[in-house]
Amino acid sequence: MISFERQHLGFILAMLVPAFLLLALFYIWPATFNLWNSFTDLTLLSMRQGGNFVGIQNYVDLIRDSGFKTVIWNTAFWLAFVSTLIRLLLGLGLALLIHSEPVRRAGLRTIARMAILLPWATPPIVAVVVWRQFFDGQGLFNQIFLDLGIISEPVAFLGNQATVWPALLMIITWNTLPVVTLTFLAALQTLPKDLFEAAEMDGAGTWRKFVDVTLPHLAPTMVVMGLLLVIWTFNNFVYVWLATGAGPGTFTNVLATEVFMKGFISFELGYSSAVGMIMVAIMLVFGAFYFHFVASRNFKEIM
Amino acid sequence: MSTLTLDRLSKSFGAVDVLHNISLDITDGEFVVIVGPSGCGKSTLLRTIAGLEPITGGELYLDGRPVRNVPAAKRGLAMVFQSYALYPHKTVEKNMGFALKIAGEPKAEIDRRVLKAARILKLEPLLSRFPRELSGGQRQRVAIGRAIVRDPSIFLFDEPLSNLDAALRAEVRVELRQLHKNLGATMIYVTHDQVEAMTLADKIIVLKDGYLQQVGAPSTLYNDPDNLFVAGFVGSPKMNFIPGCLRQGTFLSKALQTGPFNVDMDCIDMTVGIRPEDISIVEFGKGNARLKVDVAEYLGSQTLVHGRLSDKTQIIAVAPGELKLEADAEIDLDIPTDKCLLFNYEGQRVRPDNGSGKVERDAPSGEKLQQVASC
Amino acid sequence: MTVAAVDQPRERDYASIIGNVFVVALAVLAILFLALPVVWIFVGSFLQTGNPISAGSMKWTFANYRTIIENDFLIFIFNSVFICIVAVIICTALAVMVAYAFSRYRFPLKRMAFASIVLGQLFPWVILVTPLFVMFAKAGLLNSYVGMIFCYVCVSLPFSVYMLVGYLEAVPRDLDEAAAMDGCSRVQIVLQVVLPLMLPGIVATATYSFLLMWTEYLFALAFLTETTMKTMPLGLALFFGQDTVDWGAVMAASAATTLPALLLFLPLQSKLVSGVTSGSVKG
Amino acid sequence: MLKLSGMTLVASLLLGTAVKAETSIVFRYNDGDVAVIEAAVEEFEAANPDIDVTVERIAWGDARTQFLREALIGGGPDVVHIAFVWPLEMGQAVALQPLNDLISENGIQSGIDDFVAQDLFTSKEGSIFAVPWTTDTFTLVYNKDLLSEAGISEFPSEWPALAEASRKIHEATGKAGFGFSAGSAASNVIWFMLNYYWWSNGHALIVDDGAGGYKMGITPEEVAEGFEYFASFMGDGGNPDTNISVSSWSDPSIVNGMISGHQAIAFMPPATFRSMLDTYRSQTGSEETPFASATIPAGSAGGISHLGGRSLGINSNTKHPEESFRLVQYLTSKGFFEKHLKTQMPAQKALLSSVDFGPEMAGFATQLANGRSWGAYANPKTPIGEMWNETGRSFGSFLIGQISAEVAAQDFYDKISGMLGK
């Protein structure tokens, strides 16, 4: 690490300024514009005339809106919490599976690693198209379940209160599981062998070794991955919007789709901006958390 | 080959001062070792000389030319890093020739000089290998070779042997000494290992907490240390220190009385230093100190006796040949007065002959005098 | 190591055989789950209707690909490839510069600058669309490669910087200093020493960026209206008409959109795995 | 086609725009049949060598927002292809320019009065913001074989009969009766069907209040009744529950269901029906189809559907209004419909009566005569897209059992009247 000296200033600026200039143009100016809009009643149709300043009316409206509670619940519980939990558990399970001795001996390890890459390379829009076909009334799942006699009538997986969130989570999980699994796989590869040997000397069985050696070793990775997953999913509007359009009704509406619907379908730019600012505020809190507990620890060297 | 002068050089990282007013001269062809415990600023000192760290105060002269603002690359120095810092993506040959390539030397000249350096270090068979294919010792050589190729005015070594095992370290030490003789170049060498310092150096610079402690030849530092720190740092096994007081030229402590010292002062906080090899074990009842033995380590040519004096001071004594001693055995030691070094309460050396321990400078308070009188 | 936690000495062999079979069966199921949808797309794209199972008779055809090619899909492919490649190059170059300054120098406001990079990763893009649209319209950047490249560079820059800082941490600073002693200028240090060493990291980062851009829909939708400027995700969406959906074409377009990413991924597989660990999310 | 666009691309890359001496205008067309339009445009360019037309296209679902955003910021295409219900809101937002002067100076095929649904294009001040281009409506299409299998000999003529027929078919054949998409996204059909139902029974969501304003023309109870009527089709009523997750009248589950004979009745516009017929013929190889279209059922006020369609507007930012209008003139000409766009029905009464739709499409032709314009719906306060969206959301919430029909209807009513009150 080179301490700051005036002689380095020119070089440091040359390295940083182009990127930060672009980022400022891209993020800061639009975010400011957005913040201002959130205090106006601007709609797309009144763009020529401009919106009127309405103070915090938009924020008051959205807090009073009964649907907004559902939106927050959906975003926090389903998108942030459940989807992350599922992916962490499945990702861990899959990584352990691929890493396991029987799978290696069966010659499946390479195939499994290739298979992992398939969902990753699939663009979300394509993933949704395929899975919607699977969930369709005449789709794969209904046919299989009907043939197996599990159900007697086709089920609208994406149109049913009981199944729509699990189905959505399945799409999200399929498409984003690879990153989680690969991360855990990589972490598993760095498992210190001598710790296992020591545990074995201490008479630990498979389960104890897993709990006392493997899990603690993976714990930091799980924390980081969990935080990243929450962030990525929270902001992602594609899955929900393309899979259910926030429906049935507004049953799967989340913050990102609410911003989109208010801004791009109802044209209420002011209100939509207010919802957007709520998102930014939540993300700032989360970001501070992330920065404090993860980023600044990972990079304490450079701080 | 050139001279280097540091003039009240100081360095701080933010609010932390790492080096304080260091002044010293390094003359042409000297092998200088900077030594001190970790965190004493010795690496920082080397890096300021290299130009990797800008200095905060003072000036640095290379052949009389101030180089404070001259970037590292332009100072004409070469450095061997503790980690060797070999470029992993370049072969040994490319590693060694990189500086010349950057300097725009013609290919033929680069090849010639790389080959010459490789020959000196017996690296020819390794030239086309990558660093990851070399053993630790070989990497070490390549790092040195990379420095030699540049034909620098001064070689800088930053703890270059610390990653090698003990046997190899001893071997390379000799080779380094040889290399210095052959090249005749100025070398500045940083280490925390006093054995390396003693064996390699023409001149040792002892640093502690960013302060210069003493500069001198190894024998000077060994025989005539300026302070407790240097005395304790140089020599192995370490010098023994026995706390006590000085009254009318006689050192007094619960465990040892010895004198007279030609020092005209009374002092309550006085320490006597005696090297283990100067202590001899004498017939019971004939010594001036009694040692309760903890353990005796047999080293072949000699035995190190570890034990405690009656005031619990830890003492090491060296006995020639094999000496069998039980734990808790009591033996008598002879601690000869003429080999004893005196250090005052600040840890500074009090030299008997030159009167450096003047009463005015070191006057104990009235209360202390009382204690001295009674001790 | 197996997950099955059976440790009864007597039944051990017997149990472990069952355990092993169970584990392998589970792995096969997982592979099927991961691969099936992608296989479905590729098979479906060669079938007469997009839905192989309800099609009854499976008739193989290239008609779907003919359809998408007739609907300008080759132009969309060119646009996607061009925009993404240029944006990835610019983004990665800028990210290397920023990451280098972050990892090797101290400077005022550094903590804040790094925090803003971290936050940039979290920013909800959906709120940027309208303001950026206004900005682009005024600057004449709608329907332009420059505008899209600007967007995509900024979208993936924060994450790229974050990842590359991680990789740079793994390149010892001694090497920079050795190079400085060897006479390299700052730029030479970066180009000749640091860059070659973090190449795996750069490749991984660039791949991530590429994927992010390749699948991006929201900005492309807002800023690209001319047919000749559209990217592949938009082209794909065009087959969802209001009154008719050409499922065969949708499958073919999906396959065409997925394939390049797949081709990019497979050879880089091992690098990407190490990328995940040593880069962004090292434990 | 590809070659052409490819060459245009290469040419514009190589030469930039400097070579164009002629006037360039952009026509944004958002439906299928692009090849037909491009061929027609080529003919137009040949006849007007001073005008160069670029056809661009974006997905219909994004068309409205996108054009508004562009036009309101000062950009956008010159001529734009929009739904019947958009011109007033776009005109009032100053995204479209009034065409009155252009029409009176240059004239238009058989005169502007010959076009349908004038009220949707003319503001209260008399500005005409777009010219109707093509027209259509939704109606019911039937699989005659399944109907006769269930012992139904006539197409249901009243709403209860439709429900009865659907249930009967489902019971008798085990197939779907009236299968419609009941999803909640803004592209579903429930918006159209509910309005048809209300209109046929003498109500309308929005009506003129006679004082230059607008008011609700329906009670929450009547809204709820409509909700419940359509909900009665679900499950054993003949509409498979899986259609709750379907949000388009052209979804494969419906179109393929009809084609494969798994569904007896569907609700769709002519374009979807036509593509369904084409697919059936290409799959079976037979010209004969079991399908027929028939008018929607009647209520106390008859069977009323909406007069929908597409219109052509000119961007208020265009630098070439004269040239743009020439394109509009050409696209609404008799020759254009006769030679190029044979799959769509023209929006001019004179042309409409002269077109033969063929036997399967007869229902559409009849229905078109009973179509009404959206009228008061197309007011600046209640964008149709938004009402459409709210309808789908409220109906969907009721359908999946989140809330009761009464609550859903009241919520819906409050939302719409709230919009009107703003």
Side-chain angles (χ1 to χ4, degrees), chain A residues 93-112 115, chain C residues 1-4 15-34:
Chain A
L94 192 54
L96 287 171
L97 206 57
I98 295 174
H99 196 72
S100 73
E101 198 49 31
V103 169
R104 190 187 63 80
R105 263 183 280 134
L108 284 176
R109 194 175 274 186
T110 316
I111 297 174
Chain C
M1 183 201 56
T2 61
V3 194
S16 83
I17 287 172
I18 292 182
N20 288 356
V21 170
F22 178 70
V23 166
V24 170
L26 221 54
V28 171
L29 266 180
I31 291 172
L32 277 181
F33 169 73
L34 292 170

Side-chain angles (χ1 to χ4, degrees), chain A residues 2 8 183 228 235 301-302, chain C residues 106 110 122 186 276 281:
Chain A
I2 300 174
H8 300 311
T183 308
L228 277 176
N235 282 335
E301 275 288 296
I302 72 160
Chain C
R106 274 179 221 280
K110 180 170 168 179
L122 318 177
R186 288 195 184 96
V276 177
V281 288

Side-chain angles (χ1 to χ4, degrees), chain B residues 225-281:
Chain B
D226 277 351
N227 54 39
L228 261 181
F229 177 75
V230 175
F233 196 79
V234 173
S236 173
K238 278 179 67 167
M239 183 182 270
N240 296 303
F241 296 114
I242 305 162
C245 59
L246 192 70
R247 207 171 125 207
Q248 292 164 356
T250 304
F251 176 82
L252 298 166
S253 89
K254 202 178 155 199
L256 174 73
Q257 286 193 21
T258 185
F261 292 96
N262 185 19
V263 172
D264 179 23
M265 67 187 274
D266 282 351
C267 180
I268 177 161
D269 270 336
M270 189 60 89
T271 304
V272 150
I274 179 81
R275 296 217 173 265
E277 49 271 39
D278 291 333
I279 300 176
S280 41
I281 296 168

Side-chain angles (χ1 to χ4, degrees), chain B residues 135-138 141 161 164-173:
Chain B
S135 70
Q138 288 168 331
R141 267 169 218 276
L161 306 186
L164 302 180
D165 63 56
L168 200 54
R169 215 179 296 170
E171 200 176 296
V172 179
R173 228 160 48 203

Side-chain angles (χ1 to χ4, degrees), chain C:
Chain C
M1 183 201 56
T2 61
V3 194
V6 186
D7 210 11
Q8 293 290 320
R10 264 164 189 269
E11 296 160 18
R12 197 177 190 145
D13 292 345
Y14 192 56
S16 83
I17 287 172
I18 292 182
N20 288 356
V21 170
F22 178 70
V23 166
V24 170
L26 221 54
V28 171
L29 266 180
I31 291 172
L32 277 181
F33 169 73
L34 292 170
L36 183 69
V38 178
V39 173
W40 187 277
I41 296 168
F42 282 91
V43 171
S45 71
F46 290 105
L47 290 174
Q48 208 161 44
T49 75
N51 208 333
I53 287 196
S54 66
S57 66
M58 307 237 273
K59 283 190 208 151
W60 298 90
T61 175
F62 284 101
N64 298 324
Y65 286 94
R66 219 173 295 127
T67 308
I68 66 167
I69 286 171
E70 277 165 7
N71 280 281
D72 300 329
F73 218 74
L74 289 184
I75 298 177
F76 304 153
I77 294 177
F78 172 81
N79 289 337
S80 272
V81 169
F82 181 79
I83 291 173
C84 292
I85 287 183
V86 175
V88 163
I89 292 172
I90 295 176
C91 170
T92 312
L94 288 175
V96 167
M97 286 160 60
V98 175
Y100 186 75
F102 271 131
S103 100
R104 297 304 200 247
Y105 289 89
R106 274 179 221 280
F107 49 87
L109 298 179
K110 180 170 168 179
R111 221 181 137 80
M112 212 182 101
F114 192 66
S116 69
I117 287 287
V118 171
L119 286 180
Q121 288 183 72
L122 318 177
F123 209 86
W125 301 332
V126 66
I127 73 167
L128 300 176
V129 174
T130 300
L132 281 174
F133 187 90
V134 174
M135 191 166 109
F136 275 27
K138 286 185 178 146
L141 288 176
L142 294 174
N143 285 312
S144 73
Y145 288 136
V146 175
M148 283 325 287
I149 290 168
F150 165 68
C151 268
Y152 287 173
V153 166
C154 292
V155 157
S156 67
L157 193 52
F159 191 65
S160 298
V161 170
Y162 190 74
M163 271 185 86
L164 286 174
V165 168
Y167 283 108
L168 263 172
E169 288 299 285
V171 177
R173 292 184 174 82
D174 278 1
L175 289 179
D176 295 45
E177 299 185 336
M181 295 298 293
D182 274 347
C184 287
S185 66
R186 288 195 184 96
V187 176
Q188 278 174 319
I189 293 175
V190 176
L191 292 183
Q192 306 226 16
V193 176
V194 177
L195 223 50
L197 288 178
M198 54 186 302
L199 202 60
I202 290 177
V203 168
T205 311
T207 311
Y208 279 106
S209 302
F210 183 84
L211 266 182
L212 197 67
M213 301 168 183
W214 186 256
T215 59
E216 201 286 326
Y217 181 72
L218 204 56
F219 292 121
L221 173 67
F223 306 147
L224 298 176
T225 54
E226 283 172 19
T227 309
T228 52
M229 294 301 298
K230 283 185 199 296
T231 56
M232 290 170 81
L234 289 185
L236 178 62
L238 277 184
F239 295 109
F240 294 90
Q242 197 192 16
D243 292 341
T244 50
V245 178
D246 186 342
W247 286 101
V250 166
M251 295 300 260
S254 296
T257 311
T258 308
L259 192 65
L262 213 52
L263 291 180
L264 186 69
F265 258 18
L266 290 179
L268 295 176
Q269 190 226 51
S270 58
K271 287 211 170 69
L272 293 176
V273 177
S274 73
V276 177
T277 33
S278 60
S280 61
V281 288
K282 62 175 183 181

Side-chain angles (χ1 to χ4, degrees), chain D residues 168-412:
Chain D
K168 235 168 141 181
I169 293 166
H170 182 57
E171 276 164 14
T173 64
K175 309 276 171 69
F178 179 20
F180 58 86
S181 67
S184 305
S187 57
N188 64 1
V189 305
I190 200 72
W191 161 253
F192 291 119
M193 292 201 308
L194 272 170
N195 275 296
Y196 292 6
Y197 184 80
W198 291 329
W199 288 338
S200 306
N201 288 300
H203 323 297
L205 198 53
I206 310 279
V207 292
D208 249 300
D209 68 357
Y214 305 93
K215 60 175 188 185
M216 299 297 286
I218 196 166
T219 63
E221 291 72 34
E222 286 154 358
V223 171
E225 197 219 318
F227 281 4
E228 270 167 351
Y229 173 75
F230 286 106
S232 75
F233 282 93
M234 304 311 293
D236 291 338
N239 189 18
D241 279 335
T242 51
N243 279 340
I244 296 180
S245 61
V246 173
S247 284
S248 161
W249 49 84
S250 56
D251 192 276
S253 62
I254 289 170
V255 177
N256 289 348
M258 290 297 286
I259 292 173
S260 61
H262 281 84
Q263 177 175 329
I265 313 172
F267 179 77
M268 55 181 62
T272 311
F273 188 45
R274 239 186 233 109
S275 114
M276 187 180 115
L277 293 175
D278 289 347
T279 313
Y280 181 85
R281 289 190 177 113
S282 79
Q283 276 189 6
T284 58
S286 102
E287 268 305 301
E288 279 297 300
T289 75
F291 304 117
S293 57
T295 53
I296 58 151
S300 58
I304 303 173
S305 70
H306 84 286
L307 204 54
R310 308 282 193 250
S311 57
L312 298 168
I314 297 181
N315 190 332
S316 60
N317 303 309
T318 183
K319 293 191 182 65
H320 312 292
E322 293 289 336
E323 288 81 357
S324 299
F325 191 71
R326 257 151 75 192
L327 180 64
V328 173
Q329 280 179 308
Y330 167 76
L331 291 172
T332 50
S333 68
K334 188 168 187 216
F336 170 77
F337 281 102
E338 280 174 354
K339 193 168 169 196
H340 297 290
L341 197 61
K342 293 173 200 156
T343 53
Q344 297 279 338
M345 303 178 209
Q348 295 150 76
K349 293 160 198 156
L351 289 180
L352 197 53
S353 55
S354 67
V355 180
D356 174 25
F357 300 114
E360 289 111 340
M361 303 291 287
F364 285 96
T366 321
Q367 186 65 54
L368 215 47
N370 290 323
R372 60 157 275 180
S373 137
W374 291 101
Y377 283 51
N379 70 71
K381 285 181 173 168
T382 56
I384 290 202
E386 174 66 351
M387 292 195 285
W388 188 341
N389 185 38
E390 287 303 337
T391 310
R393 301 281 164 207
S394 300
F395 182 67
S397 297
F398 154 57
L399 212 53
I400 60 166
Q402 225 178 339
I403 45 178
S404 70
E406 287 69 30
V407 175
Q410 189 66 49
D411 276 358
F412 174 71

Side-chain angles (χ1 to χ4, degrees), chain A residues 44-45 47-49 70 132 136-138 142 154-161 241 244-251 261-268, chain D residues 64-65 68-69 71-74 89 92-94 184-185 241-245 251-253 316-317 380 385-386 389 392-393 396-397 400-402 422:
Chain A
L44 189 55
L45 294 174
M47 204 118 131
R48 281 261 155 115
Q49 297 87 331
T70 319
R132 283 192 58 160
D136 196 74
Q138 292 134 39
N142 272 312
V155 176
F157 290 101
L158 287 169
N160 193 308
Q161 278 195 75
W241 185 251
T244 66
T250 51
F251 192 71
M261 278 203 288
K262 291 294 187 237
F264 295 82
I265 293 177
S266 313
F267 295 167
E268 296 169 35
Chain D
R64 173 166 163 255
T65 321
L68 276 169
R69 258 197 314 228
L72 294 177
I73 281 158
E89 67 175 27
Q92 257 135 17
V94 208
S184 305
D241 279 335
T242 51
N243 279 340
I244 296 180
S245 61
D251 192 276
S253 62
S316 60
N317 303 309
E386 174 66 351
N389 185 38
R393 301 281 164 207
S397 297
I400 60 166
Q402 225 178 339
K422 262 194 185 169

